[in-house]
Amino acid sequence: MSLLLDNQFSELPEDRSVDTQQFLDAVSHLPAFIDCLGSKVFSVIKSDIVGNITKIRGVYEKDPQRYVTLRHILEAEREEHGSEWPKVGATLALMWLKRGLRFIQILLQSLADGEKDENNPNLIRVSINKAYDGALKRYHGWIVQKIFKAALLAAPYRSDFLKALSKGEEVAEEEVLVNVRRFLVNFSVTVDAIYDMFTSLNAELDYAV
Ligand code: 0SG
């Protein structure tokens, strides 16, 4: 059962600030969605994302009035951690989480755009590879790139992936893609805003794990 498309990200205000509570509520549905993909190979990805979310939530819950937006968290941690920052705390967790979100953004956009491997139209590897190259590959050393290759072999068929996006129900492809496009509107704006925030605060790091 997927709650992904049912749980839209909020529209951002004019200043493009991201409300921490709303963001945490929205990303909290990702782990359950990853479970719907059906292979244990994805559990490593799920625990990474759960770890990121838990860390951000842990900071937020210490003082919700202080950390109303994600920018408040980054600015507070910059003050608190000095030269250790940004490779620390919720800033580091969000740095990685946003890459996972960018991966999902590119993957869903590619599916919505109808990109396909013409010889294997029921595979989504073209879209997954595009997402990986655009969001994650440069941050991965060769061992993690091998994990990605293993995950690629376990990737669901297009039909199963679309079914997972439709709460396990058989829904016409075009209908699912309409929902994907709707979901992508606020989701993409949010992911872009988080990337821009990291750039403007000079918080982005480009080491590989
Ligand atoms: C259709 C499905 C297709 C799936 C294809 C999968 C593609 C991705 C495969 C990559 C597998 C990656 C597994 C995990 C890798 C992690 O090592 C990296 C780095 O992790 C960070 O390392 C942690 O996230 C940080 O945690 S923190 O919260 O404590 O801050 C921290 O530990 C950091 C190291 O710290 S440091 O040394 O800097 O001090 N993680 C990633 O690369 C993110 C992977 C996200 C994948 C998202 C895929 C979503 C799939 C959804 C499908 C719709």
Side-chain angles (χ1 to χ4, degrees), residues 33-34 37 42 44-45 48-49 51-52 55 87 92-93 96 100 103-104 107 124 128 136 140 144 147-148 151 156 161 207 209:
F33 176 68
I34 292 172
L37 298 179
F42 300 122
V44 58
I45 297 166
D48 200 63
I49 288 179
N52 299 150
K55 210 170 230 184
K87 203 176 183 181
L92 179 65
W96 281 99
F103 176 94
I104 293 169
L107 170 61
I124 54 171
I128 294 174
L136 290 168
H140 288 167
V144 184
I147 297 174
F148 166 72
F161 186 71
Y207 65 95
V209 290

